Amino acid sequence: MNRLATAVSQGVGRVTGAALGPYQSAVIRIGFSATWLLFLLREFPHRHELYGPDGPWSRSLAQQLIADNGAFTALMWFGGRFWFEVVYALAVLASLLFALGWRTRTASVLFMVGVLSLQNHSVFVGDGGDNVLHLMALYLVFTRCGQVWSLDARRAARVRAARARGERVPDRAGPALWSVLGLFLAAVTATGRLEGEWFVPALLWTVWLGQALWWAAGRRAGAARPRILLDVVATVVHNGALFVIMAETCLIYATAGWYKVQGSRWQDGTAVHYPLHLDYFSPWPALADLLSANGTLVMIVTYGTVLVQVAFPFALLNRQVKNVLLAVMMTEHAVIAVVLGLPFFSLAMIAADAVFLPTSFLRRLGGWAARARARLPRRGGRTPAGDAAGAPEGAEPARVGFPA
């Protein structure tokens, strides 16, 4: 009984004591926001046909679908080409800010709004990676994904250094951003434009009120206990969301693998041959012909794909096997990006896979990036405060302003 109580106590302490996986959450933040940003930039000349007023999926069709499924999209708040351009531009800006880690909590919400607004308006645009991005955009709102490799981490380091010197560092940008977004959210809600199912509107208001509580607890003298409580709640929510992201990734591979097992073309080892000869999936016909000409190679890739996808959830029980399969899957997605012309699907899946990357590897990767950046010339020959790749693991987050 004592051992059980000790184990439970240690488990509770681990879940509530620190936000787990700071490097993993940072790399999936960067991966998904960069994937969406690159997609929006590549499709910028075609944005009106994909999501805007010139597309085959008209506004009236979108209204009928949204009325039926209750999906959230800001594109339906106002009509006209100007509002579409505003939403598209804000989606691009939010993706960039989220990738950089600037005001990460707010940027994560704006990133989610941009993804849902465009994807829910035109549901037939995508290649499979859009579904993964759609889900992860929701989950990332609940994570503390700006602890490392972010502008928030640099700002927190500067705040800690200033406090160590006895200086006060007021946060003006956070309250200003919170006030502007709050006024806009209140106006949209009051005019009845914040429609759809309850989850997304409730999430927007919950995050807004949560930021207010965090700021108020930081401003009030002697409010150590409320700050600790809010920090514990944010940590538990982060750890739960990170677990859901891992479970979702495993579910994607498990369902894909077991459905492939039931297909006759996967059973006879020829499934990979057919997409290589579809015009839509053949940006390099000569390369596709070269790969499909070898029957043995096609059979190995077909069976290997099924084996890796089915085995991956079980491989998590062994670190070495997991790392090997992780490398194989990332390589496979990189090949799919080139051979089948599905770069954004592959980038989304690689970003999802990155949640399982070892912390030691990610720390080394951050160290390499920091050393490469240190070799670049700086203005005035000085190094700014907090210019490392990110805060060290387990570092105490700065309790000033709004949470990252």
Side-chain angles (χ1 to χ4, degrees), residues 59 63 73-87 121 184 187-189 191 193:
R59 180 179 177 86
Q63 287 176 328
T73 172
L75 283 176
M76 308 308 296
W77 292 353
F78 305 97
R81 188 177 298 265
F82 175 75
W83 177 244
F84 167 75
E85 298 290 357
V86 169
V87 173
H121 181 273
F184 183 77
V188 171
T189 304
T191 55
R193 301 182 187 275

Side-chain angles (χ1 to χ4, degrees), residues 12-259:
V12 171
R14 183 170 175 78
V15 171
T16 62
L20 304 176
Y23 292 93
Q24 286 80 2
S25 58
V27 77
I28 60 175
R29 181 200 85 228
I30 296 170
F32 284 111
S33 57
T35 299
W36 184 237
L37 176 62
L38 292 174
F39 175 80
L40 294 178
L41 293 178
R42 193 196 72 168
E43 301 298 344
F44 187 81
H46 315 292
R47 63 192 184 281
H48 295 142
E49 290 77 16
L50 290 176
Y51 300 110
D54 299 335
W57 191 255
S58 64
R59 180 179 177 86
S60 60
L61 290 175
Q63 287 176 328
Q64 295 178 37
L65 179 65
I66 292 169
D68 182 59
N69 62 15
F72 170 88
T73 172
L75 283 176
M76 308 308 296
W77 292 353
F78 305 97
R81 188 177 298 265
F82 175 75
W83 177 244
F84 167 75
E85 298 290 357
V86 169
V87 173
Y88 199 93
L90 288 177
V92 171
L93 179 61
S95 301
L96 177 61
L97 295 178
F98 195 40
L100 296 175
W102 183 83
R103 303 288 170 175
T104 316
R105 184 69 70 187
T106 300
S108 68
V109 176
L110 296 178
F111 174 74
M112 177 197 70
V113 169
V115 171
L116 298 186
S117 296
L118 295 176
Q119 289 189 354
N120 287 339
H121 181 273
S122 301
V123 294
F124 297 109
V125 176
D127 53 14
D130 57 309
N131 295 325
V132 180
L133 184 63
H134 192 106
L135 292 171
M136 297 303 175
L138 283 167
Y139 300 153
L140 283 169
V141 174
F142 298 94
T143 64
R144 308 182 77 171
C145 53
Q147 298 178 97
V148 298
W149 297 349
S150 67
L151 295 178
D152 284 343
R154 296 180 60 186
R155 178 168 56 91
R158 290 195 296 270
V159 169
R160 286 194 296 269
R163 287 193 167 187
R165 297 191 300 267
E167 301 174 4
R168 291 189 60 188
V169 184
D171 181 19
R172 297 185 178 88
L177 184 64
W178 174 82
S179 300
V180 171
L181 294 178
L183 288 174
F184 183 77
L185 185 59
V188 171
T189 304
T191 55
R193 301 182 187 275
L194 196 62
E195 298 177 350
E197 292 189 357
W198 63 271
F199 179 75
V200 174
L203 178 60
L204 295 176
W205 277 109
T206 300
V207 174
W208 187 78
L209 293 174
Q211 299 235 48
L213 289 174
W214 188 278
W215 179 79
R219 294 278 295 180
R220 183 181 176 183
R225 288 184 178 179
R227 285 200 303 268
I228 293 174
L229 176 61
L230 291 174
D231 191 48
V232 169
V233 171
T235 297
V236 172
V237 170
H238 163 89
N239 293 336
L242 199 61
F243 174 79
V244 171
I245 291 173
M246 293 179 177
E248 184 71 41
T249 305
C250 290
L251 183 63
I252 290 172
Y253 283 118
T255 53
W258 285 109
Y259 271 109

